[in-house]
Amino acid sequence: ITFPFRNIMTIITASSLEYIAFQSAVFSVDANEEIFKSSPTPHKVPSVRGVTFDGVDAGSISLFLESASLPTLESLSVDSGEDFEWLTRICLSPIQYPALRLLNIRHCNFTGPALVPFVRALYQLPQITGFGIAAPATGIVGTRVFDMLASGPDILGNGCSLGLKRCVFRVAE
């Protein structure tokens, strides 16, 4: 289902929704939207505490996350296939997600180079206290993810430490 992005953001910013779920959705945009400006102002969405993307393409997820200021977002659940572009976007603007504590990722690739944005995100978002990995795309969670998590902040050289209290791994759904 294709949704006009401008309309979605108008509805969300005008509401007091606490939880939003997008399923099998793609956002459409037109050329004169604010998001095409060199420094667009994020839409303030003060009441949303949880967002779920299920079967939504990574480009639409990135568009939503970089266009919304979500100061009360505590939980983010994403089923986006193998693309972690949206996760990189979160890391570039962590100030937009100060309350984010739980990150749940499904059907993504957790082996080889695909681990880099995931592990980097955990260290660049030190407020994350829990994460879940379910049904990895390859059926495998690379052992390097555990090595990288156990090695501490030196692996990325940023001096941050993980505040993880909960981790859930589920191979099948």
Side-chain angles (χ1 to χ4, degrees):
I1 300 174
T2 302
F3 294 103
F5 184 70
R6 179 181 313 183
N7 295 359
I8 291 291
M9 293 310 291
T10 299
I11 292 167
I12 292 171
T13 55
S15 73
S16 58
L17 293 172
E18 290 187 13
Y19 296 94
I20 302 169
F22 297 102
Q23 186 169 7
S24 302
V26 174
F27 299 134
S28 63
V29 294
D30 57 53
N32 61 353
E33 294 202 38
E34 168 83 13
I35 56 171
F36 288 110
K37 292 184 177 178
S38 60
S39 296
T41 303
H43 297 271
K44 293 193 184 223
V45 188
S47 62
V48 173
R49 296 177 51 210
V51 177
T52 299
F53 294 99
D54 189 8
V56 176
D57 72 288
S60 291
I61 295 169
S62 293
L63 176 63
F64 179 83
L65 293 174
E66 71 183 57
S67 299
S69 176
L70 299 157
T72 59
L73 181 68
E74 299 169 353
S75 174
L76 178 61
S77 182
V78 178
D79 177 348
S80 72
E82 298 192 24
D83 193 340
F84 276 123
E85 176 189 342
W86 59 270
L87 190 53
T88 302
R89 294 288 180 195
I90 290 175
C91 293
L92 293 175
S93 304
I95 196 163
Q96 289 180 225
Y97 320 98
L100 185 60
R101 299 293 180 268
L102 302 173
L103 185 60
N104 184 30
I105 304 171
R106 295 177 318 281
H107 296 112
C108 289
N109 184 1
F110 292 98
T111 58
L115 285 175
V116 174
F118 174 69
V119 172
R120 185 175 289 143
L122 291 178
Y123 283 106
Q124 290 177 333
L125 299 167
Q127 76 271 24
I128 299 283
T129 58
F131 74 87
I133 296 174
T138 61
I140 299 169
V141 175
T143 57
R144 291 288 300 156
V145 73
F146 301 106
D147 295 341
M148 290 177 179
L149 292 174
S151 68
D154 292 339
I155 195 144
L156 296 174
N158 65 0
C160 292
S161 61
L162 292 176
L164 293 176
K165 296 178 183 173
R166 292 178 280 176
C167 297
V168 176
F169 299 94
R170 219 167 103 183
V171 176
E173 286 190 294

